[in-house]
Amino acid sequence: MAVKVAKFGGSSLASAEQILKMKQIIDADEARKFVVPSAPGKRFPDDIKVTDLLYALHDAALRLDDTKEIYQKIVKRYTDIRDELGLSIRIEEYLEKMYEDIRTGASEDYAASRGEYMNGLLIADLLGYDFIDAADVIFFNENGTYDAKKTLAILPGALKLHERAVIPGFYGSLPNGKIKTFSRGGSDITGSIVSRAANADLYENWTDVSGFLMADPRIVDGPKKIDVITYRELRELAYMGATVLHEDSIFPVLEAAIPINVKNTNDPKNSGTMIIPAIEGRDGAKEGITGIAGKKNFTVITIEKDGMNAEIGFGRKLLGCLEKFGLSYEHMPSSIDTISIVIADVRVRGVIEQLIDEIHAQCQPDSVEVSSNMAIIATVGRGMIRQIGVSAKLFSALAKNHVNVRMIDQGSSEINIIVGVENDDFEKAVQAIYTALV
Ligand code: ADP
Ligand code: ASP
Ligand code: MG
């Protein structure tokens, strides 16, 4: 029989009402043997995700502030869900243990992980599925990176022992047994890992939109849906800000080539978006673009030096400066005599002046210019580069809308054009590109 892994995001599980939609989806297809839940998310726009409440609780405990109010909010989220679902599980016991642990020095990751852990307990109870604690089956290396080898040695066997099970998302354990989480949005990665370990036929990622859209629906009004997208395009868009799916969630399923189907819990009949290894027979031949994504808050350092291209070792010296400050960069577009480095604002905060001094000392440039509060926008599409006129249309749309383009990277990657604009122009620029190219 086919096996499907179904991951549900926070808004899909934010209340008893939403959780019942999840149950209907699970009950409708017996292939949905493994369920990966997130913590309860927002029920309405100004609501607070349980994960954010947990971070706040940990923070308050650390600063010896009053923790009661935040704790009571968390208690209410879980007891409301339990009561409205008519379950009898003693969730208070888990809540109390968590509260005690946090007040006696448990880590931030431990605190955050309890969101998924307790939601998993409720959901397993509701579905009548077994509960597998992710701490026992998903592993991290000592340096905090995901340990695929150990996980794939243990998780497949553990899954075989259960006909049907709930495995909470977002966390696992370190070699010393302590809890470790993925980065925010990481339940998507857990879903992918479980899919790989179960050798699933399909990884369903259930969220609150009907698939991957061509642009962020919070910026562009009613963007078109992407029916099919490749792993590579997905990663490019996700990394560049289309946060529907965590950008690292393709790695665990890559080798086994398990397709991912992004679906809407509130509209389960919609076919959503299929994410697949490559598009057979027509890779690169697709008309138009696949999607647009972007994010704010970058610093662009532009270095100018006549004859830079001919100077042996220039690039090495420049990158050496970044290395000295432990900085990784996002992009590095270049032309004959200039090179720009794009780094997240948070990374260079506090060290930018020293970094510039170092660049002056090591590279003797003619000038170094720094612009912070920049946004970067990627326009992605397989074969886009071969289509004459895409970039002309893109740049004339930006000009027409008075967006000042501060950086362009049309580098060697065949599937994207990246532009840098001021933070304040971000939304306008995304809308202009969408209107011109879709
Ligand atoms: P979940 O809680 O289910 O994991 P997320 O909030 O992580 O859901 O991701 C879904 C949200 O991603 C959508 O509600 C939407 O606001 C946002 N989003 C950003 N870019 C896109 C895009 N290109 N397509 C669809 N949704 C997008
Ligand atoms: N609950 C975690 C977060 O808010 C993980 C997730 O939702 O995927 O980031
Ligand atoms: Mg998410």
Side-chain angles (χ1 to χ4, degrees):
M1 195 184 66
V3 174
K4 294 179 186 170
V5 171
K7 178 263 173 180
F8 288 84
S11 48
S12 300
L13 305 172
S15 62
E17 190 191 346
Q18 288 299 98
I19 291 176
L20 285 173
K21 290 184 192 168
M22 180 273 310
K23 179 168 168 30
Q24 271 196 347
I25 291 166
I26 296 300
D27 290 347
D29 185 349
E30 30 174 290
R32 295 178 178 132
K33 290 168 147 233
F34 300 111
V35 177
V36 176
S38 289
K42 294 184 180 195
R43 294 160 292 183
F44 41 86
D46 290 336
D47 199 11
I48 308 176
K49 285 179 161 197
V50 165
T51 308
D52 290 312
L53 290 172
L54 290 164
Y55 280 121
L57 178 66
H58 184 267
D59 191 50
L62 205 64
R63 287 187 285 110
L64 303 173
D65 282 355
D66 187 25
T67 52
K68 269 218 189 69
E69 200 184 317
I70 306 172
Y71 176 61
Q72 282 312 327
K73 278 190 188 159
I74 299 167
V75 169
K76 185 151 169 41
R77 291 293 301 263
Y78 285 100
T79 51
D80 277 358
I81 291 175
R82 190 261 324 267
D83 296 345
E84 285 168 36
L85 291 174
L87 302 173
S88 50
I89 176 175
R90 297 266 315 136
I91 201 71
E92 291 85 350
E93 286 169 16
Y94 298 95
L95 285 157
E96 280 155 22
K97 169 149 186 7
M98 168 198 79
Y99 194 31
E100 178 61 22
D101 289 344
I102 291 175
R103 281 184 303 171
T104 51
S107 72
E108 185 180 54
D109 280 18
Y110 168 84
S113 75
R114 297 304 87 184
E116 291 26 44
Y117 175 75
M118 290 186 290
N119 215 23
L121 289 168
L122 289 172
I123 287 165
D125 195 32
L126 176 73
L127 297 175
Y129 276 33
D130 296 338
F131 176 81
I132 301 177
D133 187 349
D136 299 332
V137 290
I138 291 188
F139 301 101
F140 289 80
N141 295 302
E142 219 163 88
N143 66 5
T145 56
Y146 165 58
D147 184 346
K149 208 167 148 217
K150 184 168 174 194
T151 303
L152 290 179
I154 289 174
L155 181 55
L159 294 177
K160 283 209 182 82
L161 299 175
H162 303 269
E163 183 59 32
R164 298 171 177 278
V166 170
I167 307 99
F170 194 37
Y171 71 93
S173 59
L174 289 161
N176 65 7
K178 292 249 155 63
I179 297 285
K180 168 84 190 140
T181 68
F182 292 105
S183 59
R184 295 301 302 267
S187 296
D188 290 334
I189 307 174
T190 308
S192 189
I193 293 169
V194 172
S195 300
R196 171 76 173 88
N199 202 9
D201 299 277
L202 184 67
Y203 169 20
E204 291 180 334
N205 190 289
W206 292 87
T207 182
D208 61 353
V209 277
S210 292
F212 219 97
L213 307 172
M214 289 187 74
D216 189 331
R218 292 163 297 188
I219 301 175
V220 170
D221 200 23
K224 278 194 198 154
K225 187 184 79 161
I226 303 171
D227 292 324
V228 183
I229 185 171
T230 64
Y231 285 158
R232 231 182 107 206
E233 290 173 305
L234 180 281
R235 181 161 157 76
E236 201 91 32
L237 283 170
Y239 180 65
M240 288 297 293
T243 50
V244 204
L245 201 68
H246 194 293
E247 74 256 19
D248 289 344
S249 41
I250 63 161
F251 292 129
V253 293
L254 200 65
E255 210 180 48
I258 298 166
I260 306 173
N261 191 191
V262 178
K263 298 262 289 176
N264 190 348
T265 304
N266 304 314
D267 182 14
K269 289 217 164 65
N270 194 307
S271 59
T273 298
M274 280 304 270
I275 306 163
I276 59 170
I279 298 195
E280 262 171 59
R282 58 187 191 105
D283 206 20
K286 187 181 163 285
E287 288 289 305
I289 63 160
T290 303
I292 305 157
K295 43 189 185 178
K296 291 183 176 178
N297 302 323
F298 288 91
T299 295
V300 179
I301 305 170
T302 303
I303 298 115
E304 240 189 272
K305 185 174 189 182
D306 284 344
M308 173 193 291
N309 62 325
E311 183 179 326
I312 290 168
F314 187 87
R316 181 183 47 76
K317 282 184 237 164
L318 182 60
L319 293 181
C321 298
L322 296 185
E323 206 175 339
K324 186 170 170 193
F325 289 90
L327 295 168
S328 64
Y329 63 91
E330 212 83 7
H331 297 281
M332 196 167 63
S334 64
S335 60
I336 303 180
D337 296 325
T338 67
I339 193 162
S340 300
I341 305 168
V342 183
I343 310 181
D345 279 343
V346 286
R347 294 223 170 112
V348 285
R349 197 164 292 152
V351 297
I352 188 77
E353 265 145 43
Q354 290 153 276
L355 174 65
I356 302 307
D357 287 347
E358 185 72 16
I359 293 175
H360 275 291
Q362 298 298 329
C363 307
Q364 278 108 41
D366 297 333
S367 72
V368 180
E369 208 184 290
V370 180
S371 335
S372 47
N373 303 320
M374 301 275 288
I376 49 178
I377 302 169
T379 305
V380 174
R382 38 181 194 281
M384 184 173 71
I385 296 304
R386 260 162 279 169
Q387 268 177 264
I388 304 163
V390 169
S391 52
K393 267 194 219 164
L394 187 152
F395 290 111
S396 77
L398 292 176
K400 233 186 269 158
N401 286 277
H402 311 289
V403 174
N404 185 5
V405 177
R406 303 280 299 272
M407 184 209 86
I408 300 167
D409 187 359
Q410 204 171 342
S412 53
S413 147
E414 286 198 9
I415 66 165
N416 66 25
I417 301 173
I418 293 168
V419 295
V421 303
E422 274 153 39
N423 272 351
D424 290 346
D425 281 340
F426 176 64
E427 284 81 8
K428 188 165 75 172
V430 172
Q431 287 154 1
I433 297 172
Y434 183 87
T435 310
L437 296 181
V438 177

